[in-house]
Amino acid sequence: ADHAGKTVLLNLWATWCAPCRAEMPALDALQKEKGSDSFEVVAVNVDAGDDVKPKKFLSDTGVATLGYYRDSTMTLFNDLKKRGLALGLPVTMLIDGEGCLIAHMNGPAEWSGPDARRLVETALKPESL
């Protein structure tokens, strides 16, 4: 509900997931470049336990633009898994401002590259979808 009307790139990650760790700086760069009133990268940590390890990881890797979101119960991941949208981590979904799933992928991606920028730009222009 906090993101209603906003296109969201939702990413689930964990500190123990090597591909997740590798793509976090790119997600941070995408948020820094494209983040606005109409677009946000929402990276949700799914580590069990407290906030210490995930926050230390974000600090150590220089991730500063992303908001801090957690689901230590893995409820979100398990729900996506039941729906066939998540096979493992990382998992990323592009959701439009009306809450509709536009695209999803399992595995890492270069989120700060030109293909990711084009994907976001296209998603922000509903008439082009």
Side-chain angles (χ1 to χ4, degrees):
D2 292 344
H3 305 305
K6 187 180 278 196
T7 298
V8 172
L9 186 77
L10 176 65
N11 175 274
L12 293 141
W13 68 280
T15 58
W16 46 263
C17 165
C20 300
R21 294 174 66 96
E23 76 177 359
M24 289 305 291
L27 287 165
D28 192 54
L30 179 62
Q31 174 62 26
K32 185 174 185 176
E33 180 182 341
K34 295 290 184 185
S36 67
D37 290 342
S38 57
F39 175 75
E40 183 177 358
V41 175
V42 176
V44 179
N45 174 266
V46 296
D47 283 23
D50 60 25
D51 290 340
V52 174
K53 193 173 182 180
K55 284 185 174 181
K56 181 178 182 337
F57 165 76
L58 294 174
S59 175
D60 289 351
T61 56
V63 172
T65 309
L66 296 175
Y68 183 68
Y69 301 95
R70 288 227 36 230
D71 178 13
S72 60
T73 66
M74 291 211 31
T75 301
L76 179 56
F77 175 79
N78 288 328
D79 183 51
L80 294 173
K81 193 172 176 181
K82 285 178 192 170
R83 296 171 187 232
L85 297 173
L87 304 174
L89 292 173
V91 60
T92 307
M93 293 170 290
L94 186 61
I95 303 163
D96 72 12
E98 295 177 8
C100 295
L101 181 64
I102 297 172
H104 78 282
M105 76 172 280
N106 285 268
E110 182 49 57
W111 294 111
S112 61
D115 290 339
R117 286 193 299 273
R118 278 193 299 276
L119 176 67
V120 171
E121 290 162 5
T122 300
L124 292 172
K125 297 176 188 169
E127 66 278 0
S128 65
L129 292 177

